[in-house]
């Protein structure tokens, strides 16, 4: 029997370096700051750190606009600091996964500055078109996806105008990228999280996207997501680089279906280990997209996660996440960040970590950090948020109404500094983005001191993944799919059955043994945010209660 790959039994912790820990008082988190918190992460029990970009960057999109792939941004420290981080993490059994942002660079990258000259060998590193913009595509960050440069030439930028898209059709560019990846892998990193990696193959004819009435731009996504050469590029990357190292690879893939994901992650196809799906992150958006906020219907979430569980059960692999630096805080989004903050944060953790796949925790999630509401747009930093604000303001929407959208969906919700102590503890200076005022109550110091804190629920869930093969290997069955309050599923492995029961609502609920297909008495509670309360009527669930029960063979029908 082959040994289970280490990345299948690992739990990943994402660090957004700007907001994690500042060591020098400039208000910006840095690598020495991360070094000082490695023991904290070790105590939590995680196996892998995914480090959002720390490369040299003019910071138009907080480091996702890279000026030099092989240099560390001075705000974050030095290459020696990074090497020390890899080393110190390794000593604690933790691997460092780097962010690989190769759909685009910064417009200040040397490739791009040279590429502006039509005669330069770097011209074809980017996507240049002469005359009018060749299509109606809009940028993800508002406005056109085409920027005019000199002499009537336009270049493509799916994100900000300071993030020109690379031309993956051009082989020398691909080879330079592979060399750069090898440079990092030779430093001993544990893998790559690949930024919008399913955008790198554009349809060669760049056709117009569908443009609805009243829309300023068309939706080009069918022509750049999962494009015609994407599998060929990833297979080439795998042959040239990835397969020579024992690493974790995860592709960020908006717009990837389960069928796509199976192609990307089937081990026989030699592409990636896993992808980040966005489908469950889009369930509280209306037809107008991300900022068109609508309430989540729980059956949609359950059915979606179940679909992904089934699609990748026997072949391929899932990543599991509620949060990252682009998403609002999950306790505010799908839980209850008021009276049930701790209880619902634990419930969300139990539901996610009971699934099959590799769980990702985003910094502060283990504390139940919440969204923030800043009174004025001037206090926000995120380019997506600011561009959206200006666009909607220009079209006549009121500032109050736009701020409501930001409070619900804005990316800065996730980016407020990590809350270490009641005083804040992130910096001795002024933080680059406001600290959430609730740090006086929600912080690491308090969490570590309280044996009943959310932190210890995460610690235990991480530990359980090490101890119970059922979490990694077991099959999955969703129960009560249409119930709009309960999230209930089972896992099965080698005669063992686990039952995960969670109340996703503020309503007190009862669920019977019959509804759970559970006729026998004996079970063991493995974890929960409450003690199982079973009466003759069935299991009683107070708001946001959640637990996992284990049954051994014969106990369960
Ligand atoms: C996805 C990243 O997660 C996000 O933060 C960034 O703005 C875009 N890709 C562009 O790189």
């Amino acid at each position: 029997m082959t040994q289970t790959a280490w990345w299948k039994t690992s739990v990943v912790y994402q660090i957004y370096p700007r907001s994690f820990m500042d060591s020098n008082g400039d208000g910006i988190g840095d690598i020495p700051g991360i070094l000082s918190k490695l023991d904290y992460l070790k105590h939590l029990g995680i196996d892998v750190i995914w480090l959002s970009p720390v490369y040299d960057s003019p910071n138009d999109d907080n480091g996702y606009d890279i000026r030099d792939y092989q240099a560390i941004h001075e705000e974050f420290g030095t290459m020696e600091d990074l090497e020390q981080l890899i080393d110190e993490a390794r000593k604690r059994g933790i691997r460092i996964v780097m962010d690989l942002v190769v759909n685009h660079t910064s417009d200040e990258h040397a490739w791009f500055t040279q590429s502006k000259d039509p005669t330069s060998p770097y011209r074809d590193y980017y996507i240049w078109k002469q005359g009018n913009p060749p299509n109606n595509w809009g940028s993800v960050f508002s406005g056109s996806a085409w920027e005019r440069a000199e002499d009537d030439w336009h270049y493509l930028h799916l994100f900000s105008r300071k993030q020109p898209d690379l031309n993956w059709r051009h082989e020398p560019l691909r080879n330079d990228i592979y060399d750069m990846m090898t440079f990092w892998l030779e430093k001993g990193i544990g893998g790559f999280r690949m930024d919008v990696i399913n955008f790198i193959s554009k349809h060669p004819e760049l056709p117009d996207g569908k443009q609805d009435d009243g829309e300023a731009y068309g939706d080009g996504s069918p022509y750049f997501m999962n494009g015609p050469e994407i599998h060929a590029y990833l297979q080439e990357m795998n042959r040239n680089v990835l397969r020579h190292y024992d690493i974790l690879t995860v592709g960020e893939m908006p717009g990837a279906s389960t069928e796509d994901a199976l192609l990307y992650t089937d081990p026989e196809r030699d592409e990636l280990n896993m992808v980040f799906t966005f489908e469950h992150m889009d369930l509280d958006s209306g037809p107008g997209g991300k900022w068109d906020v609508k309430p989540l219907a729980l059956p949609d979430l359950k059915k979606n996660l179940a679909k992904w569980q089934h699609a990748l059960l026997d072949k391929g692999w899932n990543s599991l996440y509620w949060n990252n630096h682009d998403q609002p805080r999950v306790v505010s989004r799908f839980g209850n960040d008021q009276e049930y903050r701790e209880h619902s944060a634990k419930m969300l953790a139990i539901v996610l970590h009971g699934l099959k796949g590799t769980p990702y925790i985003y910094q502060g999630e283990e504390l139940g950090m919440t969204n923030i509401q800043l009174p004025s747009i001037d206090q926000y930093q995120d380019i997506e948020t600011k561009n959206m604000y200006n666009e909607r303001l220009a079209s006549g929407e009121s500032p109050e109404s736009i701020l409501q959208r930001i409070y619900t969906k804005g990316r800065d919700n996730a980016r407020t500094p990590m809350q270490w102590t009641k005083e804040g503890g992130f910096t001795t200076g002024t933080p680059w983005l406001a600290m959430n005022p609730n740090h006086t109550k929600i912080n690491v110091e308090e969490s570590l001191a309280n044996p009943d804190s959310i932190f210890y629920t995460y610690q235990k869930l991480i530990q359980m993944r090490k101890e119970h093969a059922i979490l990694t290997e077991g099959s999955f069955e969703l129960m009560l799919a249409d119930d709009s309050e309960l999230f209930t599923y089972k896992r099965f492995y080698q005669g063992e059955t686990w039952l995960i029961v969670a109340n996703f609502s503020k309503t007190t609920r009862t669920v019977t043994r019959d509804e759970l297909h559970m006729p026998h008495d004996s079970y063991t509670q493995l974890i929960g945010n409450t003690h199982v309360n079973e009466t003759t009527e069935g299991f009683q669930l107070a708001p946001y209660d959640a637990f996992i029960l284990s049954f051994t063979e014969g106990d369960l029908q």
Side-chain angles (χ1 to χ4, degrees):
M1 210 177 100
T2 51
Q3 215 198 335
T4 309
W6 60 265
W7 44 264
K8 290 191 174 178
T9 52
S10 290
V11 177
V12 183
Y13 186 92
Q14 183 192 353
I15 291 186
Y16 194 67
R18 264 189 116 59
S19 303
F20 190 64
M21 180 64 201
D22 173 22
S23 73
N24 61 2
D26 66 357
I28 297 170
D30 48 41
I31 298 170
I34 301 173
L35 270 161
S36 72
K37 297 299 183 187
L38 281 179
D39 287 332
Y40 166 73
L41 297 177
K42 178 76 194 155
H43 186 49
L44 180 58
I46 54 98
D47 309 276
V48 178
I49 293 171
W50 151 26
L51 200 57
S52 275
V54 287
Y55 313 100
D56 179 39
S57 160
N59 274 334
D60 192 51
D61 184 20
N62 285 355
Y64 282 92
D65 48 319
I66 296 172
R67 185 162 46 202
D68 184 345
Y69 286 115
Q70 284 164 233
I72 301 297
H73 196 298
E74 57 186 15
E75 288 174 341
F76 293 136
T78 63
M79 190 61 88
E80 289 68 48
D81 293 333
L82 205 263
E83 285 162 357
Q84 195 187 347
L85 180 65
I86 296 171
D87 227 44
E88 288 296 322
R90 187 190 301 111
K91 285 184 200 155
R92 292 165 176 80
I94 297 173
R95 293 171 162 93
I96 304 286
V97 162
M98 300 285 279
D99 221 305
L100 182 78
V101 188
V102 291
N103 173 68
H104 45 266
T105 66
S106 163
D107 65 340
E108 298 181 29
H109 192 290
W111 294 341
F112 189 75
T113 51
Q114 294 175 74
S115 162
K116 285 184 185 161
D117 172 358
T119 65
S120 156
Y122 289 97
R123 183 64 168 181
D124 287 338
Y125 272 46
Y126 296 85
I127 302 171
W128 290 98
K129 296 287 164 192
Q130 198 166 24
N132 290 329
N135 63 32
N136 64 356
W137 296 1
S139 141
V140 177
F141 290 165
S142 309
S144 168
W146 295 93
E147 179 72 5
R148 187 166 184 273
E150 273 127 73
D151 296 331
D152 225 15
W153 283 90
H154 287 81
Y155 66 85
L156 177 69
H157 62 91
L158 293 178
F159 294 89
S160 96
R161 58 169 64 92
K162 284 184 69 61
Q163 291 167 297
D165 279 58
L166 288 163
N167 175 18
W168 273 74
R169 304 180 74 80
H170 189 55
E171 197 182 348
L173 171 269
R174 301 204 300 276
N175 290 334
D176 276 357
I177 299 274
Y178 303 151
D179 288 349
M180 175 274 282
M181 292 171 72
T182 302
F183 165 89
W184 283 107
L185 289 164
E186 286 298 310
K187 287 195 182 292
I189 65 166
F192 291 111
R193 173 269 185 186
M194 304 187 183
D195 193 68
V196 289
I197 198 69
N198 64 331
F199 288 15
I200 61 177
S201 165
K202 277 78 177 173
H203 189 294
E205 278 145 41
L206 301 173
D208 272 341
K210 187 167 155 293
Q211 190 169 354
D212 292 335
D213 283 351
E215 292 290 334
Y217 300 98
D219 171 15
S221 61
Y223 306 112
F224 62 75
M225 286 176 174
N226 312 303
E229 309 294 333
I230 183 67
H231 296 290
Y233 294 154
L234 291 176
Q235 285 167 11
E236 180 185 75
M237 180 191 284
N238 191 300
R239 271 194 311 279
N240 284 293
V241 187
L242 305 177
R243 74 166 51 159
H244 306 293
Y245 300 88
D246 179 21
I247 51 174
L248 179 160
T249 54
V250 52
E252 189 206 23
M253 301 223 183
S257 65
T258 48
E259 292 76 23
D260 296 320
L262 198 52
L263 296 176
Y264 290 123
T265 68
D266 175 353
E268 281 173 21
R269 294 173 50 86
D270 287 331
E271 296 186 22
L272 303 178
N273 297 153
M274 58 190 123
V275 308
F276 285 133
T277 166
F278 279 71
E279 288 185 355
H280 67 308
M281 292 283 111
D282 293 336
L283 298 173
D284 56 359
S285 301
K290 158 170 181 168
W291 302 106
D292 177 14
V293 182
K294 72 167 197 196
L296 173 77
L298 183 65
D300 293 349
L301 179 67
K302 293 191 288 189
K303 290 176 192 176
N304 187 268
L305 292 175
K307 180 180 80 172
W308 280 81
Q309 289 286 295
H310 286 295
L312 302 180
L313 208 54
D314 300 324
K315 218 195 274 173
W317 192 249
N318 268 301
S319 58
L320 308 169
Y321 75 97
W322 290 135
N323 285 279
N324 60 42
H325 63 292
D326 294 330
Q327 300 294 337
R329 292 280 179 182
V330 72
V331 68
S332 304
R333 185 181 195 175
F334 296 158
N336 177 314
D337 65 6
Q338 302 297 309
E339 54 184 314
Y340 297 109
R341 185 185 66 84
E342 294 194 37
H343 214 61
S344 66
K346 291 176 189 170
M347 180 278 287
L348 287 159
I350 291 167
V351 168
L352 193 80
H353 286 246
L355 295 170
K356 179 169 181 173
T358 299
Y360 289 73
I361 300 169
Y362 177 68
Q363 64 185 41
E365 180 181 334
E366 77 279 18
L367 312 176
M369 277 178 63
T370 67
N371 283 351
I372 193 167
Q373 302 196 350
L374 298 170
S376 146
I377 188 65
D378 300 335
Q379 286 164 273
Y380 283 90
Q381 300 281 346
D382 171 33
I383 181 166
E384 181 193 37
T385 299
K386 291 197 289 195
N387 288 358
M388 179 282 289
Y389 182 93
N390 291 331
E391 193 173 71
R392 283 181 181 263
L393 198 66
S395 69
E397 189 170 335
S398 73
E400 295 72 33
S401 158
I402 313 175
L403 279 172
Q404 285 308 321
R405 298 179 195 277
I406 297 172
Y407 295 161
T408 322
K409 286 289 183 73
R411 303 196 298 181
D412 282 340
N413 282 310
R415 299 178 181 185
T416 61
M418 183 75 177
Q419 298 169 194
W420 294 103
T421 63
K422 351 189 217 324
E423 294 78 29
F426 162 71
T427 181
T428 53
T430 309
W432 71 279
L433 174 67
M435 176 151 261
N436 197 314
N438 63 22
H439 64 263
T440 51
K441 292 210 187 64
I442 305 171
N443 57 65
V444 169
E445 194 178 44
E446 188 277 340
S447 297
L448 292 178
N450 171 8
D452 199 28
S453 71
I454 301 163
F455 176 94
Y456 292 111
T457 295
Y458 274 90
Q459 187 189 54
K460 182 156 183 193
L461 286 165
I462 297 167
Q463 193 54 36
M464 283 168 66
R465 198 155 281 265
K466 311 269 166 292
E467 289 164 359
H468 300 275
I470 189 172
L471 279 172
T472 315
E473 307 291 343
S475 61
F476 169 91
E477 183 189 317
L478 181 66
M479 320 220 28
L480 308 174
D482 293 312
D483 191 300
S484 56
E485 292 160 348
L486 299 183
F487 197 145
T488 302
Y489 61 89
K490 287 183 184 152
R491 303 288 311 273
F492 307 93
Y493 186 62
Q494 295 187 341
E496 194 180 354
T497 298
W498 282 15
L499 174 63
I500 291 89
V501 182
N503 184 355
F504 240 80
S505 78
K506 262 173 127 166
T507 315
T508 299
R509 283 288 307 266
T510 302
V511 59
T512 65
R513 288 179 155 245
D514 277 355
E515 286 174 301
L516 297 170
H517 300 288
M518 202 197 71
H520 295 293
D521 280 349
S522 63
Y523 52 76
T524 316
Q525 178 174 355
L526 298 174
I527 191 168
N529 57 6
T530 181
H531 285 293
V532 177
N533 175 13
E534 196 183 3
T535 66
T536 47
E537 313 281 294
F539 291 99
Q540 308 295 321
L541 289 137
Y544 301 103
D545 272 357
F547 48 78
I548 300 183
L549 307 181
S550 153
F551 301 79
T552 42
E553 194 128 66
D555 290 340
L556 198 86
Q557 241 181 20

